Amino acid sequence: PEKGIELLGPIEAPIFLLRGKYRYRLLLKGGSRIQLNAFTKKLLKIFPPPSDIKLVIDVDPYTFVWFTHSPYIFLIITLFDA
């Protein structure tokens, strides 16, 4: 997508079906929080989610705690039907 940022996914969320809602995840991987935040804002401005899709952004994903020794910073975008 942008130099220094890697977009992984979409994939099914670990708990794919929750309270009757299907969930998918996108993982953004980059070298700086500022760069990831700016990219995410630009991405959502260009491609806003439809009104029937709820979007949750996790800027400090606990699920990726095993990457703490990695030089990368992660951001998770979870999409599910509203």
Side-chain angles (χ1 to χ4, degrees):
E2 198 166 293
K3 188 173 180 170
I5 294 181
E6 190 174 349
L7 177 63
L8 306 167
I11 62 166
E12 294 176 353
I15 302 173
F16 176 58
L17 182 61
L18 182 66
R19 287 177 281 222
K21 311 239 183 242
Y22 295 95
R23 303 178 326 137
Y24 291 88
R25 282 188 168 176
L26 297 170
L27 174 67
L28 295 174
K29 175 177 147 181
S32 96
R33 173 73 52 220
I34 293 169
Q35 183 186 27
L36 281 176
N37 290 349
F39 176 76
T40 303
K41 284 180 186 178
K42 185 165 60 170
L43 182 71
L44 293 176
K45 186 174 184 176
I46 295 169
F47 302 106
S51 60
D52 61 339
I53 298 292
K54 184 175 178 186
L55 184 121
V56 176
I57 299 172
D58 185 352
V59 296
D60 192 18
Y62 182 75
T63 11
F64 289 90
V65 75
W66 57 86
F67 287 114
T68 54
H69 298 294
S70 169
Y72 297 104
I73 297 183
F74 296 92
L75 181 141
I76 295 177
I77 300 174
T78 303
L79 307 158
F80 53 97
D81 49 349

